[in-house]
Amino acid sequence: MTLILPIILPLLFMVVLMFTRRSLLFQQFFGIFASVLLLLFSIWLLTDILKNGIMVMQTGSWVAPFGITLVADLLSSIMLVTTSFVGMIVMIYSPGFIDKERQTAGYYPLVFGLLMGVNGAFITGDIFNLYVWYEVMLTSSFVLIALGGSAEQLRGSIKYVTINFVASIFFVAAIGILYGKAGTLNMADLAAKMQTWEANTPINSALMLFFVAFSIKSALVPFFFWLPASYHTPPIAITALFAGTLTKVGVYTMFRFYSLFVVFDEQFWKIFILTLAGLTMLIGVLMAASQFDIRKILSFHIISQVGYMIMGLGIFTVAGVAGAIFFTVHNMLSKTNTFLAAGLVYQKSGGYDLKYLGGLYKASPVLAVLFFIPALSLAGIPPLPGFFGKFFLIKGGFEASEYIITAIAIITGLFTLFSMVKIWNEAYWKKVPEGVSVSGKVHPSTLIATAILAGSVVLMGIFAGPVIDVCLQAAEQIVDPHMYISAVLGR
Amino acid sequence: MESVLLKIAASHMRPLLIVLSVVVLYRGHNEPGGGFIGGLMLGSAFILYAMAYGVKKTQKSIFFDPVNLTGLGLLIALASGLPAILMGEIFMTGQWITLFSNTFFELKLGTPLLFDVGVYFTVAGMLMLVMFSILEE
């Protein structure tokens, strides 16, 4: 019953913000208030699901294979909590960073539109409905990335919109083939049907189209090129929101699909996914190492880190999947945090290009620490959560005897450290280049938001034990989908 | 673009199209029609007017803002799910009341119609928002 709220709360907030879009102050405060409310609700949802198991709601009283089912298992609710936390941080950050024109041109309603789409994608149990939530999410992100309409933004958004449309075409085509083959689009019903099929049923064509669609949206090799070409163009608060939520929806969907549909032809997909994961990790991190714009380095890092998550999926043991879930949560926090810290750098010295930055450690140690924490966490230095995420993934890899991918994961960690140290050396450590000022004012709201996020990264490292316990439970539900299927179909 | 023919046609067509859009909206539950098509008709009534008289004059002649119309539509669509909760059923379960019934004619109203009204306003508002900003140059 309450499962509809992650969708209708953002909708309600969006409408309120639409009506009041001219009054800046109200928007700013209501944005923070609403996102806190959303966060509290999703935490409550997570605790409830931890206690009582998978939560199911049949919208409009149409039972499972016929109507649209909403399902939240532990993975969904973990993602819901993380997304709304990232949303809250961005809401606190935005008033101090985004210019007034953008703020009154519908920025706040659009962010809640995006959150509604993301939440919907996390809790829907129906493939066509999933497509609709993807579109809700993408439509909001199209407007957000072009909002303000500077030439650079429009250049970036054309690439972004085009490639995402192509992905949507693949998505719909796959839905069509699947529906023609199976006659149902309810995920649980479909999975139950598939288990009765013979092993050579030609379903991989549809699954491959799905895979291409999702790997475009989550920027896997070889479909990653749109991300670094577009993510650096909007104001960095928007980039941070995208980095923290959008690609991870693609990753989440792959987990859900793999767990429900792929299991019965696992050999083919396992090798395929592990190969792509390895390539994604390496290529992403190597391309990041050659960049000089902070935003571009971080954008390429998103790609490399998605490789880790997909690696956990390819291993597909409880330990591997739990590691991947832990890593995804950590990544949503740390990635957003590094982008927000780059926004602080921008406020302080007016640019993102490493060649024209320097001396920020001396100018403001607080700024340096706020970058240092998530950067080290991304590189995997203990006791920060990035270390535990990688540790569990690599441990899972060894236990499943996947040595090559594990070796690649370790090497990628070194390169990640290298490019984080590069940002650190160039922007914070070296002397201020001539003609560059580091005396810009940093808005307190941006500082507070980044500090809360950095604090939460540290806390996640300290309380890694309890968090990984929850992730292990979530992974058990993913590896064994019978609980999910019987919860939805009621048998 | 100054055209007397278009102006006269547009000012006469606008009320007609608005009435027609409501008819299409209402019959939509069981026959072809519905909120989406009705909304497109409502929007096109104002777009036709804007093509003849210009966007500024059209905006003056209507008392609402397209964005607010979209918001109103979303609110109505959201509200259509709530009666089910009041009746103790799951969100969006259809609720019906029969207002008038005899052997020849029956008037039934329900939450699906209310949802359609929401779609109607949302589509019309969105269409007007997009087209006005294109026409405005």
Side-chain angles (χ1 to χ4, degrees):
Chain A
M1 194 65 219
T2 44
L3 203 47
I4 192 76
L5 285 175
I7 296 171
I8 60 174
L9 280 181
L11 176 65
L12 193 65
F13 298 148
M14 182 175 84
V15 173
V16 170
L17 289 166
M18 266 166 94
F19 280 122
T20 57
R21 68 192 176 286
R22 300 273 174 247
S23 62
L24 186 62
L25 210 62
F26 176 79
Q27 295 240 320
Q28 292 172 344
F29 280 105
F30 188 78
I32 296 171
F33 164 76
S35 53
V36 170
L37 212 63
L38 203 58
L39 176 67
L40 290 178
F41 172 73
S42 26
I43 290 174
W44 175 81
L45 198 68
L46 176 65
T47 52
D48 192 72
I49 288 169
L50 264 177
K51 220 186 300 165
N52 303 328
I54 298 173
M55 200 187 264
V56 179
M57 176 186 160
Q58 318 278 8
T59 14
S61 305
W62 294 94
V63 278
F66 305 109
I68 290 168
T69 315
L70 300 179
V71 200
D73 63 353
L74 268 175
L75 176 61
S76 311
S77 47
I78 290 172
M79 299 299 271
L80 281 179
V81 170
T82 323
T83 310
S84 29
F85 186 67
V86 169
M88 182 191 84
I89 295 295
V90 171
M91 278 287 128
I92 300 174
Y93 191 89
S94 300
F97 193 83
I98 307 246
D99 49 288
K100 287 203 172 54
E101 284 76 34
R102 284 195 176 90
Q103 284 193 45
T104 48
Y107 171 75
Y108 291 97
L110 284 166
V111 170
F112 279 99
L114 185 104
L115 289 179
M116 171 170 72
V118 173
N119 285 356
F122 285 149
I123 60 172
T124 185
D126 182 277
I127 299 179
F128 196 81
N129 196 236
L130 177 73
Y131 169 76
V132 174
W133 290 123
Y134 260 89
E135 290 304 299
V136 170
M137 171 180 103
L138 287 173
T139 313
S140 315
S141 72
F142 291 161
V143 187
L144 275 176
I145 204 168
L147 194 69
S150 69
E152 196 195 21
Q153 265 183 300
L154 292 181
R155 254 199 306 279
S157 57
I158 284 175
K159 292 168 195 157
Y160 179 78
V161 170
T162 317
I163 193 71
N164 273 300
F165 269 136
V166 173
S168 296
I169 293 170
F170 280 120
F171 198 166
V172 182
I175 291 175
I177 295 174
L178 196 62
Y179 188 67
K181 187 80 202 145
T184 178
L185 286 176
N186 185 290
M187 290 188 205
D189 191 37
L190 196 59
K193 268 194 175 161
M194 276 184 167
Q195 282 167 357
T196 64
W197 288 357
E198 288 169 26
N200 58 356
T201 310
I203 195 66
N204 274 351
S205 53
L207 289 181
M208 186 57 90
L209 282 173
F210 275 124
F211 185 74
V212 171
F214 299 145
S215 47
I216 291 176
K217 311 228 179 206
S218 53
L220 276 186
V221 166
F223 304 113
F224 63 90
F225 45 84
W226 59 270
L227 194 149
S230 59
Y231 265 31
H232 64 283
T233 53
I236 207 145
I238 297 176
T239 314
L241 181 67
F242 283 13
T245 53
L246 290 186
T247 45
K248 279 63 187 180
V249 180
V251 173
Y252 162 83
T253 322
M254 280 199 216
F255 270 84
R256 180 67 68 215
F257 271 53
Y258 195 95
S259 134
L260 289 174
F261 309 137
V262 171
V263 182
F264 90 122
D265 189 9
E266 220 184 326
Q267 272 316 310
F268 167 72
W269 286 97
K270 199 180 175 85
I271 299 165
F272 187 71
I273 286 179
L274 280 179
T275 316
L276 284 185
L279 285 174
T280 308
M281 279 191 266
L282 264 185
I283 292 177
V285 85
L286 286 178
M287 292 187 80
S290 64
Q291 300 294 322
F292 270 95
D293 185 316
I294 299 183
R295 294 170 300 176
K296 284 213 161 182
I297 296 180
L298 295 175
S299 297
F300 276 109
H301 266 288
I302 298 177
I303 299 164
S304 147
Q305 311 274 325
V306 166
Y308 278 100
M309 302 165 200
I310 299 302
M311 170 190 160
L313 180 62
I315 295 169
F316 211 66
T317 57
V318 172
V321 173
I325 295 171
F326 187 91
F327 191 84
T328 309
V329 173
H330 138 75
N331 192 257
M332 287 164 88
L333 302 180
S334 305
K335 199 83 241 173
T336 312
N337 197 347
T338 43
F339 271 109
L340 296 182
L344 299 181
V345 171
Y346 177 76
Q347 291 178 61
K348 197 81 186 162
S349 47
Y352 293 106
D353 195 331
L354 286 179
K355 286 172 192 155
Y356 304 106
L357 289 175
L360 283 168
Y361 178 70
K362 212 168 189 180
S364 167
V366 180
L367 251 64
V369 169
L370 289 183
F371 174 77
F372 200 60
I373 293 170
L376 284 192
S377 179
L378 283 175
I381 306 291
L384 292 163
F387 166 75
F388 294 105
K390 281 182 187 172
F391 174 74
F392 286 115
L393 271 173
I394 288 166
K395 189 164 155 254
F398 274 127
E399 280 168 5
S401 314
E402 304 284 356
Y403 298 115
I404 302 172
I405 190 83
T406 314
I408 294 176
I410 294 170
I411 296 168
T412 307
L414 281 179
F415 278 114
T416 313
L417 185 60
F418 165 74
S419 45
M420 287 304 157
V421 168
K422 178 176 167 182
I423 297 181
W424 174 257
N425 278 345
E426 296 283 327
Y428 295 93
W429 208 246
K430 80 172 181 214
K431 285 208 180 90
V432 187
E434 273 179 42
V436 176
S437 108
V438 283
S439 53
K441 267 213 170 73
V442 176
H443 194 283
S445 88
T446 60
L447 207 59
I448 292 168
T450 321
I452 296 174
L453 197 52
S456 74
V457 171
V458 174
L459 280 181
M460 192 181 163
I462 294 172
F463 294 104
V467 178
I468 195 76
D469 281 344
V470 177
C471 291
L472 276 169
Q473 286 183 42
E476 271 162 26
Q477 291 179 351
I478 288 296
V479 173
D480 176 24
H482 290 105
M483 270 188 276
Y484 182 93
I485 296 171
S486 59
V488 173
L489 297 181
R491 53 177 133 95
Chain B
M1 184 175 59
E2 282 288 317
S3 160
V4 182
L5 284 179
L6 186 64
K7 279 187 173 176
I8 294 173
S11 53
H12 283 85
M13 286 292 281
R14 185 160 77 159
L16 274 179
L17 277 171
I18 294 172
V19 172
L20 189 63
S21 74
V22 176
V23 173
V24 169
L25 165 72
Y26 178 71
R27 79 200 282 265
H29 190 67
N30 294 321
E31 288 168 272
F36 193 88
I37 305 174
L40 287 179
M41 283 183 166
L42 179 66
S44 54
F46 292 103
I47 291 165
L48 185 67
Y49 197 81
M51 285 167 106
Y53 290 92
V55 174
K56 282 222 177 77
K57 204 173 166 200
T58 317
Q59 275 169 338
K60 252 182 220 161
S61 77
I62 52 179
F63 51 89
F64 53 84
D65 183 34
V67 179
N68 289 348
L69 190 65
T70 312
L72 178 71
L74 288 172
L75 265 191
I76 293 174
L78 184 61
S80 76
L82 301 179
I85 292 181
L86 290 181
M87 304 295 283
E89 288 183 71
I90 297 174
F91 184 75
M92 284 255 161
T93 308
Q95 305 293 328
W96 292 90
I97 43 166
T98 309
L99 287 182
F100 179 78
S101 172
N102 62 27
T103 43
F104 303 107
F105 184 72
E106 193 180 43
L107 184 65
K108 272 174 125 182
L109 288 181
T111 50
L113 181 69
L114 193 61
F115 184 81
D116 252 5
V117 173
V119 175
Y120 175 77
F121 285 134
T122 310
V123 170
M126 213 55 218
L127 186 69
M128 283 155 75
L129 179 67
V130 172
M131 285 308 291
F132 281 1
S133 44
I134 292 176
L135 287 172
E136 214 170 24
E137 292 292 330

